[in-house]
Amino acid sequence: MAKHWADFQYEIYLNGMTGAVPRLPTDLTRLEELAEHRLAPGPMGYVAGSAGDGSTARANRAALARRRIVPRMLRDVGERELSVEVLGRSLPAPLALAPVGVLSIMHPDAELAAARAAAAQGVPYILSSASSTPMERVAEAMGDAERWFQLYWGKDREVTRSFLDRAKAAGFSVLVVTLDTQLLAWRPRDLDQAYLPFLHGVGTANYFTDPAFRAGLERPVEEDPNAAVLRFLGLFGDPGKTWPDLAFLRAHWDGPIVLKGVLHPDDARQAADAGMDGVVVSNHGGRQVAGSVAAADALPRVADAVGDRLTVLFDSGVRTGDDVFKALALGARAVLVGRPYVYGLGLDGQAGVEHVIRCLLAEFDLTLALSGHRAPGTVSAADLVEEPA
């Protein structure tokens, strides 16, 4: 019998018989406000903030809200199976934890807590290049659980090559290449606090432990951390990269490669032509281009263009189980969730991240069943109507 993620609600109700209630809200849209009250303004602004006036982040939520589910009745949904095949991997549900850097600003257990939570629930954890914890330590904490590595594709080829070698050796199976952050956007919440963790050597653990990175320093990181930070800032992004450069990554990574930040169908076609395996339709949660198209509005066009050639994933704006349902209906194979699990981490460590995963998948399981579906694969655009903008 398949696992029913929805059973989490009965676990909560039964625990209530002893007077216990969940430590965090089960409405995950409330986590941000709670975190705003409990966490420091610098770290909170870094996670919650967006580019410009925040219009893209608002558009992401509005685009999902504008789509409404049309439930179907009297279909046998007594047994559900949420597992999906993604990039040749069998996942227990169409969900992964999105790459989010510098998690030590939210909780001292940082990426280790998030990775362990993902492993405990069986969902993939995508480790950011800008982690506060070296990739090898994260891999060790996860055992044989599914883990992917997100690459910030910088200027130094040897550092990039070293990252790929290290990630491969540490058991990361999928490479997720972020394309939309070759420059940092104008982010007023960070600017108003003059808050950039990297300047303090936070979020640089993969770089500072990397032999190719360290080989470019006159003195070891430990002796001259400021010089190491400056070297990091100098190579972090490369706005000169173009499509032909993907051949370098393809030559040095023998597993699936997914390009994150694709919003235009022509870019998705170029990804397929370049031998990539997937794309993440994403605007970085609204953190990079103010006034950008909402990710959920871009998703159907990308899925129509390359859904038969590439694995189409989705992030930016996912907060609830019905958001996951809608993303699948719009053409995604699976979704990545970011900010909610980071708020869970900041509020309650590993347990907070597990709470977010279980709430999200319980709500998705129930939404799926109550809409007349037994599995993610039968959800389609026919299950949605779109309200006028």
Side-chain angles (χ1 to χ4, degrees):
M1 184 182 294
K3 172 179 181 176
H4 284 178
W5 292 91
D7 291 345
F8 184 39
Q9 68 171 328
Y10 299 116
E11 182 181 318
I12 292 171
Y13 288 135
L14 287 172
N15 286 339
M17 301 289 288
T18 66
V21 299
R23 287 164 58 90
L24 295 179
T26 54
D27 172 1
L28 301 181
T29 65
R30 293 180 52 209
L31 292 179
E32 181 173 343
E33 184 182 4
L34 192 61
E36 290 275 12
H37 285 110
R38 292 198 194 167
L39 303 176
M44 189 63 203
Y46 186 81
V47 173
S50 300
D53 67 353
S55 67
T56 302
R58 292 192 296 274
N60 285 336
R61 294 296 300 140
L64 288 164
R66 207 168 60 244
R67 272 88 180 182
R68 310 303 298 176
I69 298 166
V70 185
R72 301 297 303 275
M73 299 298 118
L74 291 177
R75 293 177 169 183
D76 179 2
V77 293
E79 288 298 324
R80 276 112 41 218
E81 176 54 76
L82 267 58
S83 66
V84 291
E85 286 286 322
V86 175
L87 298 163
R89 279 133 191 86
S90 181
L91 308 184
L95 181 75
L97 296 194
V100 180
V102 296
L103 290 184
S104 62
I105 66 174
M106 298 299 278
H107 191 278
D109 294 340
E111 290 81 10
L112 294 175
R116 288 183 181 120
Q121 296 303 319
V123 302
Y125 177 65
I126 310 177
L127 179 70
S128 172
S129 282
S131 168
S132 344
T133 313
M135 63 182 88
E136 291 82 4
R137 285 191 62 205
V138 173
E140 186 181 358
M142 294 190 74
D144 59 0
E146 187 70 27
R147 49 188 177 270
W148 304 353
F149 182 71
Q150 176 269 342
L151 177 70
Y152 278 122
W153 192 12
K155 290 178 180 170
D156 190 312
R157 276 193 162 202
E158 292 310 310
V159 172
T160 298
R161 193 197 316 261
S162 181
F163 270 30
L164 300 185
D165 289 345
R166 290 171 63 196
K168 201 179 308 178
F172 291 87
S173 60
V174 174
L175 182 66
V176 180
V177 185
T178 297
L179 300 182
D180 59 15
T181 315
Q182 303 292 24
L183 297 165
L184 280 185
W186 188 255
R187 299 177 183 170
R189 283 193 69 167
D190 296 338
L191 291 163
D192 290 351
Q193 298 280 337
Y195 184 83
L196 188 63
F198 305 117
L199 294 181
H200 304 282
V202 178
T204 57
N206 283 319
Y207 297 85
F208 286 7
T209 58
D210 189 81
F213 179 90
R214 294 173 70 96
L217 298 171
E218 289 186 10
R219 290 191 287 166
V221 174
E222 299 75 17
E223 291 181 19
D224 193 349
N226 288 338
V229 166
L230 290 175
R231 172 156 162 73
F232 164 81
L233 293 173
L235 61 77
F236 178 75
D238 183 3
K241 289 278 195 295
T242 59
W243 291 98
D245 292 312
L246 288 170
F248 176 84
L249 299 181
R250 186 72 281 175
H252 291 91
W253 183 267
D254 53 14
I257 301 178
V258 177
L259 302 185
K260 184 174 182 290
V262 172
L263 295 165
H264 196 289
D266 286 349
D267 285 349
R269 292 185 187 99
Q270 290 205 75
D273 292 343
M276 301 295 104
D277 300 278
V279 293
V280 184
V281 177
S282 166
N283 56 31
H284 217 101
R287 289 169 64 75
Q288 280 301 100
V289 178
S292 166
V293 61
D297 286 334
L299 176 57
R301 295 174 65 209
V302 171
D304 287 346
V306 299
D308 57 341
R309 300 173 68 191
L310 296 176
T311 297
V312 177
L313 306 176
F314 173 80
D315 76 27
S316 299
V318 174
R319 298 291 181 274
T320 66
D322 57 285
D323 290 339
V324 177
F325 182 101
K326 292 173 185 179
L328 300 184
L330 293 171
R333 185 76 178 150
V335 304
L336 316 182
V337 64
R339 285 185 177 103
Y341 92 76
V342 179
Y343 300 143
L345 173 69
L347 292 165
D348 201 20
Q350 178 180 335
V353 179
E354 291 199 51
H355 174 84
V356 168
I357 295 169
R358 297 186 74 191
C359 286
L360 196 62
L361 289 179
E363 189 177 19
F364 171 63
D365 188 2
L366 289 164
T367 302
L368 193 75
L370 292 168
S371 301
H373 294 273
R374 298 173 60 165
T378 61
V379 178
S380 74
D383 294 297
L384 302 181
V385 294
E386 187 171 350
E387 295 179 340

